[in-house]
Amino acid sequence: MTKKKFDLYDVMCMRLMILPFIAAMVLKILYTPASEGIQISGALVYWTIDMPLQPLYISEAQVNSVAVVLFVLGLALFLTHGLTVKPESKRQIIAEMIVEKVEGLVDENMGERFHEYGPLIAAVLAISGVSSLSSLLGLFPPTADVNIIAGWSIMVFALITYYKFKGGALNYVKGYFEPIPVFAPLNVISEFATPVSMTFRHFGNVLSGVVISVLLSTALGGLSNLIFGWIPVVGSFPILRIGIPAIFSLYFDIFSGLIQAFIFAMLTMLNISNGFPEEAYALRMQKRAIRAQKKKEREELAAKIQ
């Protein structure tokens, strides 16, 4: 690949990262109604598509989620462009460091059996983290929409159930009646409480940060007017909004968002790995191997008789 084509590929990756967020910001400006005073609301609804059962609402959270996914895709393509056997560029060093850290995290918390889950956990970390950080651009963070987080949690719940069935359907059903049958209703509730708790933990922490940031900014505006309102020209400018909200956003928009992404990834790893019945699966595989061996012996015996 020539240097010109190489650089063109990089430019396309950068555009893939930047343009979706620019489009999301333009949509927000166009669809945000004029208002005065404090405004705390959910995601804006951009379009409504008529469907047989009920209307399909295309909201700000969905649009911003697409922008986040395209950003992560562009970043992954950029970091993995021009890979060589021996790292020669900073981007490849960064990419290899990310892969090594995530794989180490997966091996430590899930075990070698789930080593291939590295890409999934990396995607969860990246999409969740970037979604929360998108609020720094003035966008509605997708992680502040319960429907977005619920979709992630349902995916995790499906994986948990899939691995629980690895021990056999009978073993899965029997688990609801342990340690004694009377606990069956509580075990059923506990099973479905996992995705619910994951959803509201992540959603609640991110949304609370958004609400507190809006309340703080509004309060500082009122306090600035109260203190400096008597000064001509200067009094009409919200002086206390300069700098102070940015300090609090270091926690609410950056630290808290990244921590929640890490917690969600950790819960994903632990719930999936803990749901896997190691002993029941090993016993099931042993019985399957014995049946396969007996079948092979019967086939060999039948062949000899013929």
Side-chain angles (χ1 to χ4, degrees):
M1 182 181 294
T2 64
K3 187 178 185 304
K4 185 176 180 180
K5 291 183 178 180
F6 189 91
D7 294 340
L8 180 60
Y9 184 92
D10 285 348
V11 171
M12 292 175 63
C13 291
M14 291 178 183
R15 288 180 177 177
L16 184 61
M17 290 187 282
I18 297 172
L19 292 180
F21 280 122
I22 294 177
M25 288 187 283
V26 170
L27 281 174
K28 183 176 181 65
I29 293 171
L30 293 176
Y31 281 86
T32 301
S35 61
E36 295 181 0
I38 183 171
Q39 292 287 330
I40 300 178
S41 59
L44 297 172
V45 176
Y46 290 148
W47 305 285
T48 302
I49 303 175
D50 292 330
M51 302 293 286
L53 297 179
Q54 65 177 29
L56 174 63
Y57 298 101
I58 307 300
S59 70
E60 184 180 5
Q62 293 168 305
V63 171
N64 293 349
S65 292
V66 174
V68 169
V69 171
L70 291 176
F71 173 85
V72 174
L73 174 62
L75 180 61
L77 293 175
F78 177 79
L79 291 177
T80 56
H81 182 212
L83 295 179
T84 57
V85 177
K86 183 178 180 180
E88 297 178 354
S89 62
K90 292 182 179 179
R91 75 173 75 181
Q92 182 170 345
I93 294 174
I94 294 173
E96 291 185 0
M97 182 180 67
I98 293 173
V99 171
E100 289 175 359
K101 293 295 183 182
V102 173
E103 288 184 347
L105 189 67
V106 171
D107 291 342
E108 181 180 352
N109 291 281
M110 301 183 75
E112 292 291 337
R113 179 183 295 277
F114 295 91
H115 181 76
E116 71 276 5
Y117 267 69
L120 173 65
I121 300 305
V124 169
L125 286 168
I127 293 176
S128 178
V130 175
S131 294
S132 298
L133 293 177
S134 64
S135 62
L136 297 174
L137 301 176
L139 298 173
F140 181 86
T143 44
D145 189 324
V146 68
N147 299 291
I148 301 295
I149 308 301
W152 300 354
S153 299
I154 291 172
M155 176 195 70
V156 174
F157 179 69
L159 289 172
I160 295 171
T161 305
Y162 169 76
Y163 278 101
K164 283 187 175 181
F165 269 98
K166 286 284 189 178
L170 182 62
N171 182 75
Y172 175 78
V173 174
K174 187 174 68 175
Y176 285 107
F177 297 92
E178 294 178 348
I180 54 177
V182 74
F183 282 171
L186 294 177
N187 289 332
V188 172
I189 294 174
S190 175
E191 184 80 1
F192 290 94
T194 298
V196 174
S197 64
M198 290 181 67
T199 298
F200 284 101
R201 179 184 287 108
H202 198 315
F203 159 73
N205 281 281
V206 174
L207 181 63
S208 64
V210 174
V211 173
I212 292 173
S213 296
V214 173
L215 292 174
L216 178 65
S217 179
T218 304
L220 288 173
L223 183 62
S224 178
N225 183 61
L226 180 65
I227 297 175
F228 305 104
W230 58 275
I231 304 176
V233 182
V234 176
S236 61
F237 191 78
I239 297 175
L240 295 181
R241 282 190 180 182
I242 301 175
I244 298 178
I247 296 174
F248 284 93
S249 74
L250 291 175
Y251 174 78
F252 293 119
D253 294 328
I254 300 177
F255 179 75
S256 179
L258 296 179
I259 285 295
Q260 293 308 314
F262 179 75
I263 291 174
F264 192 89
M266 288 294 296
L267 289 174
T268 298
M269 290 187 288
L270 294 176
N271 285 326
I272 292 176
S273 59
N274 290 338
F276 180 70
E278 188 75 41
E279 294 181 2
Y281 179 75
L283 181 61
R284 187 184 182 194
M285 291 298 102
Q286 184 180 2
K287 291 180 179 179
R288 183 176 294 180
I290 293 173
R291 288 197 299 269
Q293 181 63 28
K294 289 182 178 180
K295 181 180 178 181
K296 183 179 179 181
E297 291 175 355
R298 289 196 299 269
E299 290 176 351
E300 291 177 352
L301 180 59
K304 289 180 180 179
I305 295 175
Q306 291 178 356

